[in-house]
Amino acid sequence: MSYDIYYDIVFPLYLPSSLIYGAHKHTNFMLGDYVQAEIGKKRIFGVIWGQTSHKRLDAIKNIHTIKPIICKSDVEPMSELMRYFVDWVSYYTLSNRGLVLRQAFPNKKFLTSSQTEKFYYLSTRLPTQSTKTVARVIACFDETDMIAHRLLVKQAKVNSKTLNAMCDNAYLIPVMKKIVKNETSLSKKILHKDITLLEEQQIAAKKIISTLHKKTFTCFLLDGITGSGKTEVYMQVIAKLLHAHKQVLVMVPEILLTPDLINRFEQYFNIKPISWHSSLTQKNKTDYWRQISTGEALLTIGTRSALFLPYKNLGLIVVDEEQDSSYKQEEIVVYHARDIAIKRASLQNIPIILASATPSIESYNNTKNERYTHVTLHNRYGQAQLPQIHIIDMNTENTPAGSYLSSTLKDAIHKQKQKNEQTLLFLNRRGFSPLILCTGCGFRFLCANCDSSLVEHQKKSLLMCHYCGAITSPPPSCPNCGHRDNIISCGAGVEKIAQEVKEFFPDYRYVIMSSDYNENITDMTDTINQIKNREIDIVIGTQLAAKGHNFPYLTLIGVIDGDMGMDTNDPRTNERCFQMLVQVAGRSGRGSSMGKVFIQSWYPHNPIIKALQTHDREKFYTQELMLRKKAQLPPFTRIAAIIISSPYADDAKQYAQTMRHRAAFNNDITLLGPAQAALFKLRKRYRYRILLRTHKINILQPYIQDMLNQLPKPASHIHVQIDIDPIQFL
């Protein structure tokens, strides 16, 4: 069959390109329409991306095999800006366009639930005699001109068959009308409670607000020490936009960090923000998608996926804790949400605020180059002061074997209790112990899928791999030598610290704050309320406890292992360690009492520890930038990683070597590898890595694409993943 017009349709699937479908003129399809078409024997929704070019049609051997578009959803079409955004993300990350579209695609329920409704008018041509059923229908129009189908069925107690027959006889006139939802957020009065700001906070807020009327893209780095009131500053900015009925997206690295933020926003603005994350029910996703697409939802707090929502009138994006590595998505479509957020803001000509107490090296450097506007806060809010930092030299402490709390730290905890104040013991390691081994034969309990040790979790009585999630029960004896009494736990996680707290402080109330114990928002909210209500004496936490919380009675921080993570070859190690220590130290002394931080370290003269002790953040950033420049690392170069993986190590190695040998020579690009990835085996796949480095900004993507085009198509069991601007090197 031939058609009047042909369209390229992109489906939210892994397909090499868009597919061609036909339509007749009277169908009146538009670019961006969500349409249903057949792929094989399945009917699937996709998006009309454009009209098919003559060149592409001419390349088809038998045009009569092209299938028709079956129907379209009455959902508002995907905007041109969103289609361009999907194309850009696909190009920038070198990801399949269909998989990127999946990030921005509504669920099937939203597409198939009609956005229109049938109404009826009563005709002037009425029957001279009618049945009781027809008479009941006519009587419903005594006080109105038009009635919705669903209401008429209910009021007249008739079925659709009766109404269809009355339409056929021209007694009723049917019309389809677009459903108008009750836009409660737009009609509800937005309160703007006054917050007393320090002078520098007022200056910061005014600096950002002064640019709003320009309606142009500006990237602000809101850089303030912990407890300086960054949230209050950007809330002042948000208030201006909400009063103008502009939408705002506030991004957070983890949804478990949102309960406090949602409550503050609701109290401050009198509207409840939408909380968007991957764990939402399909019903909630459908409702929230509609509210966002119509402009009804003015304020959204969300994780990475919230970037791809169809905001009708977006006026501002805020990326809170912009340095957080959780913004990096490592699977399927590999992207950094902070960088993608900046691109979306630039496309929409709106400002974006990156907020952090410990900015990423890249963002900090961009302020030096004046690519970002630097807005700084140097003082804590109110009477709060920066905490005193004390370094505990573990070389001089007589800590018993198997114990992880030094005498100095235990004394400090005891004094806290006497003052009726709270303590946070920080160790960024989940579970009870990171290593289980047999002292008889040296056997280590390793993950069968990964090159990693199994972590003991006593709460659930299991061993778990923190890379692939594999779990197993602790064996009663060594699988290698059979001995029962030689299995020991090495190292400590938060559960072991809790055990030690229970031993030394049996009367103290404690809680563990980690993703194993706070698995959802409800759990997290309960834990936060317990701490704020002073029902807890000691919080034992991972990084989940170090971000964004404001506990006024928590004045002592004990960092169990201040050296953790400093002994790796990852070029971002120093940055990550410094950021984590500053963040956790910043939880202390946020009220009127002076805070204290005790850091246990075997290397107390480490430059990172010293910079933290003296609160000399600028010195750390200056030194780190010098090291990065000398080593030709970001932000002074651009890096991309190509990861080749296979269930068979030799196949992965051979394909990686072929890729390297066929790569074209380029003076501006340095290739390193292939080499085994630091975590060679991951989820039953062996991995080789090739790194590309350049001083130029825009040449990596076309070079890599050409590089891949020169290669034979890999076997189905060989996967090639591209990571532009990697943040970890496992």
Side-chain angles (χ1 to χ4, degrees), residues 231-248:
T231 304
E232 284 74 14
V233 169
Y234 68 67
M235 284 174 75
Q236 294 279 24
V237 181
I238 290 172
K240 295 290 184 182
L241 291 158
L242 296 186
H243 283 297
H245 290 147
K246 294 278 189 179
Q247 291 174 297
V248 176

Side-chain angles (χ1 to χ4, degrees), residues 19-70:
L19 301 181
I20 301 173
Y21 289 85
H24 296 292
K25 287 182 179 178
H26 67 272
T27 52
N28 197 30
F29 291 120
M30 298 171 54
L31 300 187
D33 275 343
Y34 294 94
V35 295
Q36 197 175 57
E38 284 188 350
I39 298 180
K41 294 183 179 180
K42 291 185 177 180
R43 292 187 172 189
I44 298 173
F45 274 103
V47 176
I48 295 180
W49 222 253
Q51 290 189 26
T52 306
S53 66
H54 292 295
K55 182 179 180 181
R56 195 173 181 203
L57 284 173
D58 292 341
I60 298 174
K61 294 180 180 179
N62 186 359
I63 199 170
H64 298 290
T65 61
I66 293 178
K67 295 179 180 181
I69 296 174
I70 297 170

Side-chain angles (χ1 to χ4, degrees), residues 598-611:
F598 288 83
I599 301 175
Q600 298 185 157
S601 174
W602 294 92
Y603 308 99
H605 300 294
N606 185 296
I608 297 174
I609 299 289
K610 285 297 183 183

